[in-house]
Amino acid sequence: MSRFLSEKLSALTPYTPGEQPRGGQYVQLDTNESPFPPSPKVVVAAARDAQRLRLAEEWMRRQIHARAPARALADYLGVSPMGLQRLFRDAVGLSPGEAFRQTKMREAAAMLKRPGVSVKETAFMLGYRHPGDFTRAFVKFHGKAPGDFRGSA
């Protein structure tokens, strides 16, 4: 006796993942694909998250001097601190604090390129209490000291 229940089954070729049926009449979907568009609620939620990220980026640039911005940013966006963490992790793969530090360091580089702005002034304008703290953060992010950066910019 054949291992198949029917001779018809023995003639079938098994499905190979990613392979499309021949003839072009049908499209084989993988198990994680859906022929239906996303729910309207998903579309609204995605648009809301994108808007929140734009607002967060704008807020970070305006509040560049802030020392511990996570709670204030969450309040500004109307989300919980955990919701803020989730929003950033899912969208950009960073914590809000790390995204803020990166924004600060990019702004620091731009400030140091301007003539007449000292490293000390830059540190204080960015909310650092001590220029040494700023220098350590700058070196960690950019790989060179603020004074060296200014000379090579």
Side-chain angles (χ1 to χ4, degrees):
M1 177 167 170
S2 168
R3 67 178 202 161
F4 296 106
L5 300 176
S6 159
E7 289 302 315
K8 290 181 182 177
L9 292 177
S10 66
L12 292 176
T13 56
Y15 169 69
T16 303
E19 184 179 311
Q20 293 297 321
R22 290 180 175 76
Q25 184 178 5
Y26 301 102
V27 174
Q28 171 70 41
L29 299 177
D30 288 335
T31 56
N32 62 345
E33 295 178 309
S34 171
F36 304 106
S39 161
K41 290 181 181 181
V42 170
V43 173
V44 169
R48 184 184 59 233
D49 286 352
Q51 177 65 19
R52 283 182 175 151
L53 284 169
R54 282 190 294 276
L55 289 171
E57 184 180 10
E58 184 181 307
W59 185 92
M60 286 180 188
R61 279 196 230 108
R62 282 195 325 263
Q63 302 295 326
I64 202 75
H65 60 278
R67 288 193 181 100
R71 183 67 178 171
L73 179 57
D75 291 344
Y76 175 74
L77 296 176
V79 297
S80 69
M82 195 65 208
L84 182 67
Q85 287 282 347
R86 196 174 312 113
L87 175 69
F88 272 80
R89 183 190 64 234
D90 292 348
V92 293
L94 300 171
S95 70
E98 182 57 31
F100 190 65
R101 278 187 288 283
Q102 288 185 10
T103 301
K104 252 186 192 192
M105 290 298 108
R106 284 191 294 272
E107 182 63 25
M111 291 171 82
L112 289 169
K113 289 178 184 175
R114 295 183 204 134
V117 179
S118 72
V119 173
K120 188 174 183 178
E121 288 172 320
T122 302
F124 291 135
M125 284 190 277
L126 293 175
Y128 286 90
R129 291 183 182 159
H130 305 286
D133 295 340
F134 166 70
T135 299
R136 275 188 293 284
F138 193 91
V139 168
K140 185 176 180 182
F141 186 80
H142 289 286
K144 56 173 90 170
D148 296 340
F149 182 86
R150 170 176 275 154
S152 66

